[in-house]
Amino acid sequence: MQPLPIIKNRFLCRELVEDDLYHLSTFAMKKKHLNARAGGVLEFLRTIDCKGTVISQALVENLDKNSKTYIVIDQLASKNDLCAYFTLKPGLVPFRTEGKSFNTISGVELVNFAVNANYRGAMKKKIGAMTFSDFVIPLVKEVQTIVGATFLYLYALPIPKLIQTYKNKYFFQQLKRRQENFVHSHVRPHYDDDCKFMYLCI
Amino acid sequence: MKTSFNKDEIIKVLHSMLATPKYNDDLFRKKNGLELHRNKKETSK
């Protein structure tokens, strides 16, 4: 099994824990992303109430084991060392077989994936790709080894540029409309309204 | 759950989904301007 934390060069990836709460307030997203309905991605990681208390749904889900959120830390950064975060969750992709019957294909859902806009350290522009290649994929492959998983999949916000990035740079695929509608009508969570189902064979 | 399967249909759907290329780390790293791993062994502790 892949031991945690995973360390690649100066970057470390580990599960989000309670001691990280104070750390999360340094995590930010670009305004243009927040305007584009990506605020939920930030809110999942942390919200700050009127008293300044940090609340993290990601941490709650880690403790409940409903999903697992990981943070990526630049060990050499003097401040704002939190580079990125992502959340993984096991899931199923249904597909129609005959009549109203369906079968399922197993996968891992990349529920959330974001880089910290406040991070100024090494590889700033490539931190997303590095996180994906060095940490997301190895963890998903580990899951695949233990319980089987054919795909890594996500529900991308319906932002053309974002979908193109997932397609062209991350090599995610989209289903044919009929199949996508079927997936949406069976398993798409309501918080992913209008989002596009995308998958990557692993 | 009780289902009746049309194996041909299942195979068709699976084939179309699985026919897409699998994640290729070298290709991904090249596309995104990341250094290629010289040693496939992962550094971890």
Side-chain angles (χ1 to χ4, degrees):
Chain A
M1 271 182 75
Q2 179 84 55
L4 286 169
I6 307 170
I7 297 175
K8 292 281 172 71
N9 302 316
R10 60 191 284 171
F11 299 98
L12 175 151
C13 174
R14 62 168 172 76
E15 235 183 275
L16 175 72
V17 295
E18 210 161 345
D19 287 347
D20 293 318
L21 273 181
Y22 77 97
H23 216 150
L24 299 182
S25 56
T26 64
F27 198 100
M29 289 178 70
K30 287 182 180 172
K31 204 172 177 181
K32 67 176 180 183
H33 291 147
L34 294 176
N35 291 344
R37 297 177 41 203
V41 179
L42 181 61
E43 280 173 19
F44 181 78
L45 183 67
R46 57 101 173 137
T47 51
I48 301 170
D49 71 11
C50 54
K51 291 177 184 169
T53 308
V54 179
I55 299 159
S56 172
Q57 179 64 24
L59 180 62
V60 171
E61 294 210 10
N62 269 14
L63 295 172
D64 287 348
K65 298 181 176 62
N66 187 45
S67 63
K68 281 288 175 188
T69 292
Y70 297 87
I71 55 174
V72 179
I73 293 167
D74 179 348
Q75 299 180 99
L76 299 182
S78 52
K79 60 176 184 176
N80 290 335
D81 58 352
L82 183 54
C83 314
Y85 99 92
F86 60 92
T87 304
L88 300 175
K89 190 178 190 174
L92 293 169
V93 181
F95 63 91
R96 189 190 296 274
T97 51
E98 191 176 66
K100 289 183 179 177
S101 302
F102 66 90
N103 203 342
T104 53
I105 305 173
S106 61
V108 175
E109 181 181 351
L110 183 57
V111 183
N112 287 309
F113 179 37
V115 298
N116 184 3
N118 285 332
Y119 175 66
R120 296 275 180 270
M123 296 181 66
K124 180 176 165 44
K125 289 187 176 173
K126 296 175 184 170
I127 204 76
M130 185 277 294
T131 296
F132 189 79
S133 173
D134 284 350
F135 303 124
V136 175
I137 291 291
L139 283 168
V140 172
K141 289 202 174 214
E142 201 67 49
V143 174
Q144 186 181 43
T145 307
I146 298 166
V147 293
T150 309
F151 304 114
L152 173 64
Y153 66 94
L154 52 82
Y155 296 95
L157 284 166
I159 304 167
K161 197 176 170 187
L162 180 67
I163 290 170
Q164 284 310 311
T165 299
Y166 279 133
K167 259 187 178 174
N168 299 334
K169 291 197 165 181
Y170 286 68
F171 306 118
F172 276 82
Q173 309 278 330
Q174 282 185 273
L175 291 172
K176 287 176 183 165
R177 185 177 292 271
R178 183 169 157 262
Q179 185 65 27
E180 183 174 4
N181 288 343
F182 189 76
V183 171
H184 283 188
S185 64
H186 284 78
V187 292
R188 185 182 59 184
H190 89 96
Y191 55 78
D192 284 327
D193 274 354
D194 303 330
C195 291
K196 300 290 175 196
F197 177 85
M198 303 185 82
Y199 68 96
L200 174 65
C201 286
I202 51 175
Chain B
M1 188 181 67
K2 202 174 176 184
T3 55
S4 62
F5 295 116
N6 176 338
K7 281 185 182 171
D8 290 342
E9 182 78 11
I10 294 171
I11 289 166
K12 202 171 105 185
V13 174
L14 275 174
H15 272 194
S16 72
M17 292 177 85
L18 298 177
T20 57
K22 280 193 174 185
Y23 174 80
N24 177 321
D25 197 57
D26 285 347
L27 185 63
F28 180 88
R29 299 183 78 82
K30 199 174 168 185
K31 183 80 179 176
N32 288 282
L34 299 173
E35 271 184 38
L36 295 180
H37 288 304
R38 286 179 196 155
N39 186 347
K40 289 288 180 189
K41 283 185 181 174
E42 289 168 347
T43 310
S44 58
K45 76 172 183 183

